[in-house]
Amino acid sequence: MKKTVILLLFAFFYQTYQAQEWYDDQCDIETKIDLKTYKKENVRNILTIIIDQENTLILNDKPYPQMSEVKFKEYILDFITNPENKKTSAESPKSAIIAISSFGEKNNMQMIENYVREVYLYLWNQKAVQEYDKQWPNLNCKKREKIIKKYFPYNLYKIENESDTSKKKENMFLSTPTFKGDVNDN
């Protein structure tokens, strides 16, 4: 039992460390994808990841109820790099957009986003070793930016749910809203 708890703690801290290492606040790595860019892009270049209310993973409208972490990362990697030139994967890594939405638990969305980041980190690290003979974390911002822009831009778009939007609108009111019976004092 103690070994299991220790292994779980190790896995948690390792994943947290990896996420911090990936985004070390030294360089900008995310490309800002707005709704207009998202809608203009060819459907082939967009991988839509949805987590439904039952926390089932849906990838481009196809449910994957029992997909493992490794299979999910392989799916993302294949979509971005498209080694077999499939018509259902991105035309090129530069045009690939990953769109994420969640109707389930927000923690699951963050976990999926971390998995996507790990795939990009893997791609960037491979290219860093190939181009500069250094690991990704050892590159300066200019070299990182060159790899990101030239080969693998991090194009992530978070799709807002209608329920999220309505919650934001509800929170705008700090007092009781007015109604027809209100009287204005003269």
Side-chain angles (χ1 to χ4, degrees):
M1 179 69 179
K2 287 182 182 180
K3 289 180 182 180
T4 306
V5 171
I6 291 171
L7 285 174
L8 287 173
L9 286 172
F10 176 75
F12 172 74
F13 287 119
Y14 178 76
Q15 185 175 2
T16 305
Y17 174 74
Q18 286 293 96
Q20 291 171 355
E21 184 178 323
W22 173 81
Y23 189 73
D24 56 11
D25 289 333
Q26 291 180 9
C27 313
D28 272 341
I29 58 172
E30 294 189 32
T31 308
K32 302 297 180 196
I33 302 292
D34 58 359
L35 182 61
K36 185 177 179 182
T37 306
Y38 171 72
K39 287 189 173 190
K40 274 189 352 186
E41 188 59 51
N42 183 347
V43 175
R44 173 183 177 177
N45 295 323
I46 299 173
L47 174 62
T48 305
I49 302 169
I50 297 173
I51 304 167
D52 69 7
Q53 291 94 344
E54 296 172 351
N55 291 317
T56 300
L57 199 59
I58 301 170
L59 305 172
N60 282 348
D61 298 328
K62 186 175 178 188
Y64 291 88
Q66 299 293 325
M67 184 176 257
S68 70
E69 174 186 346
V70 173
K71 293 285 185 194
F72 177 74
K73 289 177 181 177
E74 288 174 350
Y75 189 96
I76 299 295
L77 182 65
D78 286 344
F79 176 80
I80 295 169
T81 59
N82 197 4
E84 298 174 8
N85 285 329
K86 294 179 183 176
K87 298 280 186 199
T88 56
S89 294
E91 294 169 317
S92 75
K94 287 181 75 171
S95 58
I97 295 177
I98 310 293
I100 300 177
S101 183
S102 175
F103 295 94
E105 295 178 27
K106 294 299 176 189
N107 292 342
N108 289 342
M109 184 168 167
Q110 185 61 46
M111 181 180 65
I112 295 298
E113 189 175 342
N114 286 341
Y115 292 164
V116 171
R117 289 177 178 175
E118 289 172 12
V119 170
Y120 273 98
L121 177 60
Y122 170 77
L123 291 168
W124 294 333
N125 195 54
Q126 278 191 325
K127 191 52 80 172
V129 170
Q130 185 181 47
E131 295 280 316
Y132 302 109
D133 204 27
K134 289 184 178 179
Q135 298 287 320
W136 175 258
N138 299 329
L139 296 180
N140 62 30
C141 288
K142 286 185 180 182
K143 289 180 180 177
R144 286 182 184 186
E145 186 177 332
K146 184 178 178 182
I147 288 174
I148 291 169
K149 284 187 176 179
K150 190 174 180 182
Y151 301 105
F152 303 106
Y154 183 68
N155 297 328
L156 182 77
Y157 179 70
K158 293 183 183 179
I159 302 169
E160 285 191 28
N161 306 331
E162 288 179 22
S163 60
D164 289 346
T165 310
S166 65
K167 285 179 187 174
K168 288 178 186 175
K169 288 179 184 176
E170 287 174 11
N171 291 336
M172 288 177 23
F173 298 105
L174 297 176
S175 64
T176 307
T178 60
F179 61 96
K180 277 186 170 182
D182 281 352
V183 177
N184 291 336
D185 288 337
N186 290 333

